[in-house]
Amino acid sequence: MKPTASHPSRRAFLRRFPVSAGLALAFPGLAGATAVARAQGDREDLSLWYDKPAGAWVEALPVGNGRLGAMVFGRAAQERLQLNEDMLFAGGPYDPNNPAAMAALPKVRALLDAGNYAEATALASSALMARPIKQMPYGAAGDLLIDVDGLSGAAGYRRTLDLDTAIATTRFANGRVRHLREAFASAPDDVIVLRFEAAGGTLDLGIGYRHPGRVKYGEKTPNGVPWDHREGLALDTRPATLSIKPDGAGALLIEGRNEAAEGIPGALRYAVRVLAVGDGAIAVEGERLRVRGGTNVTLLVAAATSYVSFVDVDGDPVAAVRARTAAARGKPYARLKADHVRGHQALFRRLSIRLGAAPVARATDARIAAVGTAEDPGLAALYVQYARYLLMSSSRPGSQPANLQGLWNEGTNPPWGSKYTININTQMNYWPAEAANLGECTEPLLRMVEDLARTGAATAWRMYRARGWVAHHNTDLWRAAAPIDGPNWGMWPCGGAWLCKTLWDHYEYAPDAAFLRRIWPLLQGAALFFVDTLVDDQGGRGLVTSPSISPENQHSKGFALCAGPAMDRQIVRDLFGWTIAAHKLLGEPDAAFAATLEDKRARLAPDRVGAQGQLQEWLEDWDARAPEQRHRHVSHLYGVYPSEQINVRDTPALAAAARVTLDTRGDKSTGWATAWRLALWARLGDGERAHAILLGLLGPERTYPNMFDAHPPFQIDGNFGGTAGILEMIVQSWGGEIRLLPALPRAWPEGALNGVRARGGVELDVTWADGRLRAVALRGRPGASVRLRSGARLVDVVLDGAGRARLDGDLARRA
Ligand code: FUC
């Protein structure tokens, strides 16, 4: 028979409906097709896959286009698509600055100088903290629940997230009807697309919307275990502000308002539009869409809020969702899908990584469960590609930056508000961006820093009477910059300065004069704040910040508040250094300012080694008597990683002291803190230690079945920090050199990393076997000189006229 649309060829059929072992048993005529399907469809090494639907939220699979996201559950009889829109935070524009702060600040400083930590903390608590004391939490955009009528079974069930196409697929058979679903979040069309297909029968669907409920974080579940995403969600009653209405043929329009929080009223409107397109009878019945007798149905889902900026909430979300769904309707499904895949692959395919030979043919959750008992180096490679996928999906030019959960959040009241914790977590989200060849994904962070330079200027002036701008340890959609939560967490003035590192890194990895001009005022303002607020240490050890904390650790006096924690001195040293470098590159626009920075930078209190041989976390040698010896934060190791101030080449004594500190802190911690330890040991050149820590991160205690990082609960920074650490084991870029295989563990004797980036705008392909470098290929600016290090050997390479160079063999062994 000649193939037609309704009777596709066997090959085309298999491409659309690849057959897993279970289905082959149910359909003996198709046995033997599995290998074909594998070769054509499921790229095991770039897929997460499962043989059962998602139960808990951390089993569902994320899709996202930077701004708009969904968790796909792959449930046969009732599909659940849980929606997120990255501007749907609680509250509205607000001013958190505390008018009492300015008068109290010098008193807090004096109390610290007098060693009166208790009174300093009490005064900071009553007079310095933001009003309200907490910031606005991120929310969720509700669920689409799609009932599939008449299902009696789901044989040969398989669901997959293909990282190469960014499509979540669900396949199963019910009797003779073979079901296929595909879900993706299209960046070019700005809609989520959920496609249902049935072969050998038809589909009857009922589609409804469920408003988001409160996440029960922090409460005990009925079995007494703290809630950690495994227990599902309690539903609140439907808010009176929510409306669900027909909106033209085949469409539902949902309109709602964001929540109030901490006394700040909800100022945002949001809208979700669901448009069904297909070959069956499509109708709106009350608050639901009905599809009868279709063989294919495509749901086009758009969501938007009225957020325009942190001071403007007058956008029109209804117009936006109508326009996007209408435009997407104008494209056939195949076009929508092809445009999505092309857009995704343009970024995703820039880097490939192979660790070990054969991929492990086991479901992803089983691979995670087997970490530590079965060799599976490919899982670390998958972790890297998954993090790249997650970064592309949660942070794209024009979107909000990736928050504590990236983009994905089940309901209101998420852990830590799922906002931006900028004393490590938001920065860690961007650690892999440059090396992983996704530099443009940092653009949302640049815009956030531009906002913070405005709100943070008010905080700097009203709280400190300082010029420039400051942000403390958290921010939210409204760019609040004042200290929150309490002095032990919030009284830390370096959050904004640390964010500037992501911007400076972006410049160093992709040097560009226009970008440098854009970040110059941000660097200048961040530095100016410290010019105005650094004070002389009472003990004459140099310039310090005060009041501050070493995030979020208490020192031996039982308080966190102090003067001059090591991390602040390191961050300010970096910030002044970047600003001075930018100043030179821009033709020295302000010589007096640069001279001031040079002077103050030289006078910053230096890092110190304490009595235990450790790197001191504070100016005083308090470390050995701090109450939490294994505290998750290792703030004073900022200087080792992500910074390079302390390193094995130039400051070996301080690097040795950092090792002592890391030994005391221990290898196992929360997800992000485990990832940081991994990156630190990699930077210190210890591949075995880094690998042992990595196994802890990849195992089921720190990785959920969907490969989301477990703090616990879910926090996405561990995915990103862990990925930065893995890349750091293979290629490092600091101190004017590119280090090849600086921390390669015995467990990865062979592999390849292609498309990794280094400082100076260089891209590399690195191949190794038997634990030794085989070849390195370089791409960059024609004529550029690149210094490579392999083992003890240094090689200077000049890129040719096409900007290329290639070296074969193990540089370390060359005569
Ligand atoms: C900091 C960390 C916590 C958590 C929170 C979001 O406060 O100390 O572990 O990651 O941010």
Side-chain angles (χ1 to χ4, degrees), residues 292-310:
R292 289 192 181 84
T295 63
N296 68 77
V297 183
T298 304
L299 301 182
L300 303 169
V301 186
T305 76
S306 56
Y307 184 84
V308 179
S309 76
F310 65 92

Side-chain angles (χ1 to χ4, degrees), residues 157-216:
Y157 181 92
R158 185 170 173 115
R159 69 192 166 100
T160 306
L161 178 63
D162 181 356
L163 304 180
D164 188 49
T165 57
I167 297 176
T169 302
T170 306
R171 296 186 179 95
F172 59 89
N174 177 44
R176 300 206 66 81
V177 186
R178 288 165 297 284
H179 291 259
L180 169 68
R181 290 179 201 161
E182 292 178 324
F184 56 90
S186 166
D189 288 294
D190 209 356
V191 286
I192 289 175
V193 181
L194 175 58
R195 165 93 167 178
F196 293 78
E197 287 183 26
T202 57
L203 287 162
D204 288 341
L205 304 179
I207 300 142
Y209 176 84
R210 183 172 73 183
H211 68 88
R214 283 177 76 77
V215 173
K216 290 169 65 185

Side-chain angles (χ1 to χ4, degrees), residues 431 637 640-643 646-649 655 658-659 662 667 674-694 721-734 739-745 748:
W431 281 0
L637 302 187
V640 179
Y641 187 96
S643 181
I646 298 173
N647 64 66
V648 291
R649 186 190 70 187
R659 285 197 173 89
L662 274 172
D667 291 352
T674 306
W676 198 353
R677 284 154 172 76
L678 156 62
L680 283 161
W681 281 112
R683 181 57 72 83
L684 291 167
D686 191 332
E688 296 311 318
R689 187 78 172 259
H691 186 254
I693 295 170
L694 175 61
T723 291
I726 293 167
L727 297 177
E728 195 75 12
M729 291 164 78
I730 302 168
V731 173
Q732 294 180 12
S733 172
W734 54 267
R739 298 192 162 222
L740 304 171
L741 310 182
L744 190 73
W748 302 344

Side-chain angles (χ1 to χ4, degrees), residues 411-454:
T412 56
N413 188 42
W416 292 287
S418 190
K419 51 192 191 302
Y420 302 98
T421 304
I422 55 175
N423 66 9
I424 173 69
N425 314 91
T426 303
Q427 287 88 349
M428 184 178 278
N429 283 357
Y430 291 92
W431 281 0
E434 300 298 335
N437 215 331
L438 294 174
E440 51 275 82
C441 292
T442 64
E443 190 268 357
L445 196 84
L446 167 63
R447 282 184 296 104
M448 186 166 91
V449 174
E450 288 176 333
D451 290 351
L452 284 171
R454 291 170 60 191

Side-chain angles (χ1 to χ4, degrees), residues 404 416 421 423 425 552 632-633 672 711 715:
L404 283 174
W416 292 287
T421 304
N423 66 9
N425 314 91
E552 306 172 11
R632 60 196 179 286
H633 287 262
W672 64 262
H711 180 292
Q715 209 168 281

Side-chain angles (χ1 to χ4, degrees), residues 119-171:
E119 268 189 49
T121 303
L123 183 55
S125 187
S126 65
L128 299 190
M129 293 295 119
R131 297 283 175 267
I133 188 96
K134 294 203 174 294
Q135 293 174 349
M136 302 298 106
Y138 183 48
D143 293 275
L144 286 187
L145 299 173
I146 301 114
D147 293 304
V148 183
D149 293 347
L151 271 195
S152 53
Y157 181 92
R158 185 170 173 115
R159 69 192 166 100
T160 306
L161 178 63
D162 181 356
L163 304 180
D164 188 49
T165 57
I167 297 176
T169 302
T170 306
R171 296 186 179 95

